[in-house]
Amino acid sequence: MTAPPFTHPFDDDKLHEECGVFGIFGHHDSAAHTTLGLHALQHRGQGSAGIVTFDGTHYHSHRSLGLVGDNFSSASVINRLKGHAAIGHNRYATTGETVLRNVQPLFAEFAFGGLAIAHNGNLTNSVTLRDRLVKRGCLFQSTTDTEVIVHLIATSPHATVVDRMADALNQVTGAFSMIALSNDSLIGVRDPKGVRPLVLGILEGATILTSETCALDILGAEFVRDVEPGEIVVINDDGITSLRPFRDTSSRFCIFEYVYFSRPDSHVEGLSVYEVRKRIGAELSRESGVDADIVVPVPDSGVASAIGYAREAELPFEIGIIRNHYVGRTFIEPTDQIRHLGVKLKHNANAASLTGKRIVLIDDSIVRGTTATKIVEMVRGAGATEVHMRIACPPTAHSCFYGVDTPSRDKLLAAQHDVAGMADYIGVDSLAFLSIDGLYRAVGGHRRNDEAPQYCDACFTGDYPIPLIDREGGTDRRQLSLLSESE
Ligand code: SF4
């Protein structure tokens, strides 16, 4: 068994959603509502947060590294963000990109006026387009793919902001759920495959666009509908207009949103995330049940699946691991000694429920295997006599290129080992993953069946529904700037 690779002691070894977006039009208190919306979406990105408002004459912006609560809690910040319309963005910054110039919403002044843009997703031809734009003389200020769209809008020959956006987005490939704020409109767009979520809601005559319904719930707003794949919605004083400027709009929503990314209290694409996770647990139990005494979730994301598994298996559900929600990545320095303690500070075994028990341990996924290895060691140390791990999705053997931070393939445990090898690596008595067909059953689908809803499942199957232009053309690279900046 090789030693686990280095990870930060508080890294929970998950795939990380890179962004959440929130926008509101027609509310006198737009900045405060956007702040609350971003709070609800904090799980989608913890690296930075930003809000841009428009008061009818001027735009106002506040963008910071760190959490929403750390940067938008003071009245002076909120009061400065005047206006009846606002958009906001949470971002999970990947290594080397945690710099203020990359914090969204991006804002630019065009011939037609101002425009702020917030983007959830990832373009797969942004490097190719960026190289072309730089050769034409465009000057880039950030290293985000979103800025490519800004330049495509600026150089578009069309007259209106919406026509320019449609023209720009017809030139990009990839996943994008995007909101934009212009002088007269809030605009929302989903890419033609609808990979990332975007929903429409209303509150006291104001209209909201946001990544998840949980952000509507905390405001008391009403869910209206999902923005559809390939749809542009334009919200202004005339009401809501829907446009469909893209050609191929067959839906391939990210199936991992149900497994892990979305909050369990959200509804995405018409389904309750919590109910889907319980069905995932029931499918797991039917597919790979095992003799055991109790079912234990790895909190928090394994909880709903563990409830579903326990009910189906008719086994007791027990809280065998307690998670400390207050541990931050910058709490202490990652020295060798502290690295050992790190997982225990975030997760601690509850010996009272584990001692002498054969446990089924439910987690949502295994990425590098680092946290799973330590948690298994921890529950054995607390007295569990057998540990049977069950995972709420198929093995994650491929990287995501559609807006999720994934390690390169050589770091993914499932790309390096078969299931038996993975079980050996993390030290369990048995290990099983939900099958891809089981996952489709849990979301009410049937894989590659035109009669049923279809999803992106590329991180499990390697079947990428949107071409990876930069990778295929050899232009995929992370280093996009000559400037090195400190955090
Ligand atoms: Fe979601 Fe995986 Fe597809 Fe990425 S590759 S969009 S994480 S299903």
Side-chain angles (χ1 to χ4, degrees):
M1 187 188 300
T2 48
F6 168 76
T7 53
H8 192 283
F10 306 123
D11 192 334
D12 51 8
D13 190 28
K14 300 293 182 194
L15 300 185
H16 291 278
E17 179 70 75
E18 288 186 352
C19 304
V21 297
F22 183 94
I24 185 165
F25 184 90
H27 200 289
H28 64 279
D29 210 1
S30 67
H33 283 71
T34 303
T35 302
L36 291 172
L38 292 182
H39 261 295
L41 300 174
Q42 189 72 84
H43 60 291
R44 298 185 76 87
Q46 298 98 48
S48 63
I51 294 176
V52 173
T53 63
F54 183 61
D55 66 9
T57 308
H58 293 106
Y59 288 84
H60 308 274
S61 168
H62 186 76
R63 305 183 305 154
S64 301
L65 302 179
L67 300 173
V68 179
D70 294 340
N71 295 295
F72 289 89
S73 53
S74 100
S76 63
V77 170
I78 302 296
N79 291 341
R80 201 178 58 73
L81 295 170
K82 295 182 177 37
H84 63 285
I87 63 170
H89 188 265
N90 285 336
R91 180 165 184 268
Y92 173 80
T94 52
T95 309
E97 295 178 313
T98 318
V99 291
L100 198 52
R101 65 180 172 143
N102 283 345
V103 177
Q104 296 194 27
L106 297 185
F107 176 78
E109 293 178 31
F110 299 82
F112 55 78
L115 188 72
I117 296 182
H119 170 202
N120 174 206
N122 188 54
L123 305 183
T124 57
N125 66 340
S126 65
V127 179
T128 306
L129 289 172
R130 186 184 173 104
D131 287 350
R132 205 178 294 160
L133 287 161
V134 168
K135 280 187 189 134
R136 286 172 57 188
C138 293
L139 303 174
F140 278 79
Q141 301 294 319
S142 77
T143 57
T144 65
D145 53 356
T146 314
E147 196 181 352
V148 169
I149 296 168
V150 171
H151 285 287
L152 291 174
I153 293 171
T155 52
S156 169
H158 293 271
T160 70
V161 58
V162 175
D163 286 347
R164 282 171 179 249
M165 279 186 74
D167 180 40
L169 293 171
N170 260 312
Q171 297 174 60
V172 306
T173 58
F176 50 88
S177 279
M178 184 175 293
I179 56 175
L181 183 61
S182 72
N183 288 15
D184 56 17
S185 301
L186 171 65
I187 302 159
V189 194
R190 270 179 96 190
D191 66 76
K193 297 284 183 200
V195 175
R196 306 254 76 88
L198 190 66
V199 301
L200 189 66
I202 49 170
L203 173 71
E204 300 161 5
T207 307
I208 294 171
L209 289 167
T210 186
S211 299
E212 290 186 38
T213 60
C214 63
L216 300 176
D217 294 343
I218 65 152
L219 296 172
E222 191 183 320
F223 169 72
V224 176
R225 65 177 177 86
D226 292 287
V227 176
E228 291 180 12
E231 182 182 12
I232 295 184
V233 289
V234 183
I235 297 149
N236 53 32
D237 291 339
D238 297 330
I240 302 175
T241 310
S242 171
L243 306 167
R244 295 181 184 275
F246 304 108
R247 285 175 294 275
D248 170 21
T249 60
S250 52
S251 178
R252 294 292 287 275
F253 184 66
C254 167
I255 206 164
F256 216 101
E257 289 279 351
Y258 291 111
V259 174
Y260 174 65
F261 299 138
S262 292
R263 256 175 58 159
D265 50 340
S266 283
H267 280 69
V268 292
E269 297 288 287
L271 299 175
S272 153
V273 175
Y274 179 70
E275 292 300 328
V276 168
R277 287 188 189 160
K278 284 198 299 183
R279 290 202 289 274
I280 281 173
E283 288 287 347
L284 251 183
S285 172
R286 284 192 283 273
E287 284 188 356
S288 51
V290 62
D291 271 349
D293 301 312
I294 57 172
V295 179
V296 172
V298 176
D300 294 323
S301 49
V303 171
S305 302
I307 291 171
Y309 187 106
R311 279 195 191 153
E312 180 65 24
E314 299 183 356
L315 287 172
F317 170 94
E318 293 283 355
I319 300 296
I321 299 168
I322 308 299
R323 178 172 169 179
N324 183 337
H325 291 93
Y326 309 102
V327 174
R329 287 179 66 87
T330 54
F331 174 42
I332 38 179
E333 286 299 310
T335 62
D336 276 349
Q337 187 191 1
I338 294 301
R339 198 170 300 141
H340 275 300
L341 294 175
V343 164
K344 278 205 141 193
L345 288 174
K346 189 156 190 175
H347 291 112
N348 191 30
N350 177 19
S353 63
L354 297 173
T355 304
K357 298 289 195 327
R358 300 170 299 162
I359 72 168
V360 181
L361 186 62
I362 310 279
D363 204 353
D364 57 86
S365 57
I366 293 178
V367 181
R368 285 165 298 192
T370 48
T371 305
T373 306
K374 290 168 190 161
I375 283 179
V376 169
E377 190 183 309
M378 186 188 300
V379 295
R380 285 198 195 279
T385 55
E386 291 178 23
V387 182
H388 302 279
M389 195 155 201
R390 297 292 179 267
I391 303 297
C393 64
T396 309
H398 304 270
S399 299
C400 175
F401 300 97
Y402 304 140
V404 171
D405 183 42
T406 332
S408 58
R409 255 203 109 194
D410 59 336
K411 303 274 191 325
L412 295 172
L413 195 64
Q416 304 303 318
H417 301 275
D418 61 12
V419 174
M422 294 174 78
D424 187 39
Y425 183 91
I426 61 179
V428 286
D429 295 282
S430 75
L431 173 68
F433 292 79
L434 184 62
S435 69
I436 190 71
D437 289 340
L439 182 54
Y440 269 77
R441 279 194 296 275
V443 295
H446 195 329
R447 188 163 184 267
R448 305 301 174 260
N449 178 332
D450 289 344
E451 307 294 307
Q454 294 300 297
Y455 296 89
C456 176
D457 49 43
C459 48
F460 310 123
T461 62
D463 175 9
Y464 291 94
I466 302 172
L468 308 177
I469 308 276
D470 289 336
R471 280 183 68 78
E472 287 155 10
T475 52
D476 189 31
R477 59 179 192 271
R478 290 221 150 181
Q479 186 63 41
L480 289 172
S481 174
L482 300 173
L483 179 66
S484 167
E485 293 175 86
S486 56
E487 292 183 19

